[in-house]
């Protein structure tokens, strides 16, 4: 859509009733979907955030509190305060909770490199999963057990990333992680979470193929995988398209008996040159619309979570590659702006829920 088309949407009128039956969670619930967002402990210190979280969402995910780095300041100690606060809030307000994540190649604590060896890596990983998963057992809807294990650029035939966990334990670390997670929390859905598998491109095709191959290997080995998380960090104002590749991925995952969650949805607007929000906001909303209309065609998709609620807290403003493009312009990628007013993305999300088939 060109600038003229975007400007033509400036005067679009929306139903301003966004609470109760007009909330994201209410519209999602009508289609059998969960609507959610990523939350930090600091977010919960804001009255407006807490109010909007309870009003709008049926599921929340820990943005950072359960990653290894923040959770393990020392090899022999845990910092559970933030995660405890998030889980307690979710339980108090009857919001489902997602755990993110047990095993990842990033957000590793400073002690990791000097402490974790080939001899003790498996024990450290499994004890971590048992301790953390066990603490919150029965309180978590789903766990991202392993995050971003694929990197086809690393040159392995199976597409696996040569992460620290891979180098220290070997490719079996994924199977071990899932089996351990099942022991730690028998009721939670166990998820493999990945990015860069959404759009129609050769790069995404290769990563989708590697992701599917990984899931098939895990299932064949009897690993207890329940779901694929598609992160869904997508751009506005580009030629990115969504269609055959995403549909085939979701269909293949469904045929394996797995659910699908859109786990980290947001839309970067840093490729839009015009600073005018009357141009940027419709472009972001259009990206939401196009992507969700494709992804939600399948009843295998059970949850849609944005990576954050309000533009004031988006992680995108702290990512160097984005700020190099638009260094002086905060992004507007989420359903609510910095003052908790619904953006056009909010209404695009709500409409996409309305147009999705019931599951």
């Amino acid at each position: 859509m060109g600038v003229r088309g975007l400007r033509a949407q400036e005067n679009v009128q929306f139903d301003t009733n966004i609470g109760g039956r007009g909330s994201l969670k209410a519209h999602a619930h009508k289609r059998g979907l969960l609507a959610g967002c990523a939350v930090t402990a600091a977010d919960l210190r804001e009255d407006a955030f807490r109010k909007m979280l309870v009003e709008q969402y049926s599921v929340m995910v820990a943005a950072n509190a359960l990653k290894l780095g923040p959770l393990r300041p020392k090899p022999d100690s845990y910092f559970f305060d933030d995660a405890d606060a998030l889980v307690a809030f979710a339980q108090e307000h009857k919001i489902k909770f997602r755990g993110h994540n047990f095993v990842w190649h990033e957000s590793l604590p400073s002690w990791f490199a000097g402490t974790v060896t080939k001899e003790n890596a498996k024990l450290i990983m499994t004890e971590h999963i048992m301790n953390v998963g066990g603490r919150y057992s029965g309180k978590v809807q789903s766990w991202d057990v392993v995050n971003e294990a694929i990197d086809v650029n690393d040159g392995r035939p199976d597409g696996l990333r040569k992460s620290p966990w891979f180098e220290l334990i070997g490719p079996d670390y994924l199977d071990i992680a899932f089996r351990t997670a099942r022991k730690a929390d028998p009721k939670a859905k166990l998820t493999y979470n990945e990015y860069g598998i959404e759009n129609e491109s050769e790069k995404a095709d290769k990563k989708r193929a590697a992701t599917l191959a990984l899931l098939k290997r895990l299932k064949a080995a009897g690993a207890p995988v329940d779901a694929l998380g598609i992160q869904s960090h997508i751009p506005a104002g580009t030629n990115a398209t969504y269609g055959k590749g995403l549909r085939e991925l979701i269909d293949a995952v469904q045929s394996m008996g797995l659910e699908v969650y859109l786990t980290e949805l947001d839309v970067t607007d840093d490729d839009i040159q015009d600073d005018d929000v009357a141009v940027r906001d419709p472009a972001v909303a259009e990206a939401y619309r196009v992507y969700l209309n494709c992804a939600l065609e399948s009843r295998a998709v059970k949850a849609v979570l944005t990576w954050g609620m309000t533009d004031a807290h988006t992680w995108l403003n702290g990512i160097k590659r984005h700020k190099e493009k638009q260094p002086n312009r905060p992004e507007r990628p989420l359903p609510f702006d910095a003052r908790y007013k619904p953006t056009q993305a909010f209404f695009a999300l709500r409409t996409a829920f309305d147009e999705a088939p019931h599951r």
Side-chain angles (χ1 to χ4, degrees):
M1 181 181 293
V3 170
R4 180 176 299 176
L6 294 172
R7 289 192 182 279
Q9 297 188 33
E10 288 182 38
N11 296 319
V12 172
Q13 298 297 309
F14 299 107
D15 177 3
T16 56
N17 175 24
I18 67 165
R21 295 180 181 178
S23 67
L24 292 174
K25 69 178 180 182
H27 282 250
H29 180 71
K30 290 178 183 178
R31 295 296 182 264
L33 285 161
L34 295 173
C37 68
V39 182
T40 69
D43 292 334
L44 294 184
R45 291 195 283 270
E46 294 186 19
D47 291 342
F49 190 101
R50 293 196 304 273
K51 177 179 180 296
M52 199 65 73
L53 182 59
V54 173
E55 176 186 275
Q56 294 292 328
Y57 297 103
S58 49
V59 61
M60 55 188 272
V61 60
N64 298 307
L66 286 167
K67 293 173 180 175
L68 183 61
L71 199 58
R72 298 283 295 275
K74 298 178 181 179
D76 57 352
S77 66
Y78 288 81
F79 175 73
F80 282 119
D81 291 8
D82 287 352
D84 284 352
L86 293 174
V87 173
F89 186 91
Q91 288 199 298
E92 178 185 356
H93 296 284
K94 295 180 172 56
I95 301 172
K96 294 184 185 299
F97 187 83
R98 297 196 74 246
H100 174 81
N101 53 57
F102 285 134
V103 181
W104 190 28
H105 64 281
E106 293 189 20
S107 195
L108 297 174
S110 58
W111 53 262
F112 188 93
T115 302
V116 187
T117 66
K118 289 189 175 183
E119 289 71 33
N120 66 17
K122 178 180 175 181
L123 179 62
I124 288 174
M125 184 185 77
T126 55
E127 285 188 341
H128 176 81
I129 295 172
M130 289 300 298
N131 288 337
V132 178
R135 184 181 184 88
Y136 303 112
S137 181
K139 302 176 181 179
V140 177
Q141 180 268 338
S142 56
W143 274 105
D144 288 334
V145 178
V146 180
N147 194 42
E148 302 175 1
I150 298 294
D151 187 349
V152 294
N153 294 325
D154 278 358
R156 286 182 53 85
D158 57 12
L160 286 181
R161 182 189 298 274
K162 295 178 181 177
S163 70
W165 294 111
F166 173 90
E167 298 288 3
L168 292 166
I169 300 175
D172 289 342
Y173 84 91
L174 290 112
D175 184 279
I176 295 167
F178 275 95
R179 293 181 189 275
T180 306
R182 178 63 84 226
K183 292 178 183 177
D185 192 347
K187 294 183 179 180
K189 299 282 188 178
L190 303 183
T191 307
Y192 173 70
N193 197 45
E194 190 57 88
Y195 75 98
I197 53 176
E198 299 88 5
N199 65 38
E200 292 296 297
S201 67
E202 182 179 358
K203 182 178 180 181
D205 283 343
K206 291 179 180 178
K207 197 163 190 179
R208 277 191 288 266
T211 300
L212 275 176
L214 169 60
L215 292 173
K216 288 176 181 176
R217 289 196 302 272
L218 288 171
K219 291 291 287 184
V225 185
D226 299 308
L228 170 66
I230 302 176
Q231 290 187 15
S232 310
H233 298 294
I234 63 175
T238 70
N239 293 322
T241 59
Y242 311 95
K244 181 174 180 289
L246 182 62
R247 291 187 184 100
E248 290 181 350
L249 171 67
I250 295 173
D251 287 347
V253 169
Q254 184 177 30
S255 72
M256 296 164 61
L258 304 181
E259 296 182 346
V260 177
Y261 310 137
L262 309 184
T263 54
E264 304 182 19
L265 177 61
D266 54 21
V267 178
T268 175
D269 66 4
D270 61 8
D271 285 321
I272 300 173
Q273 297 307 309
D274 196 320
D275 289 341
D276 189 349
V277 297
V279 173
R280 293 161 57 200
D281 283 5
V284 169
E286 177 69 0
Y288 271 101
R289 184 191 69 80
V290 170
Y291 177 68
L292 288 173
N293 281 357
C294 179
L296 294 181
E297 287 178 4
S298 173
R299 291 177 172 84
V301 180
K302 306 296 186 182
V304 178
L305 297 95
T306 54
W307 203 246
M309 176 201 299
T310 164
D311 295 336
H313 301 159
T314 175
W315 73 295
L316 292 170
N317 286 332
I319 299 298
K320 182 178 180 181
R321 67 178 179 272
H322 293 283
K323 301 328 297 170
E324 286 175 347
K325 292 183 178 181
Q326 304 290 352
N328 301 313
R329 193 180 80 187
E331 296 209 34
R332 295 172 63 84
L334 292 168
F336 294 91
D337 68 15
R339 293 181 291 181
Y340 293 95
K341 301 298 182 184
T343 63
Q344 291 191 36
F346 171 93
F347 297 101
L349 268 164
R350 202 170 66 171
T351 299
F353 294 153
D354 291 343
E355 295 176 351
H358 192 274
R359 52 221 63 209

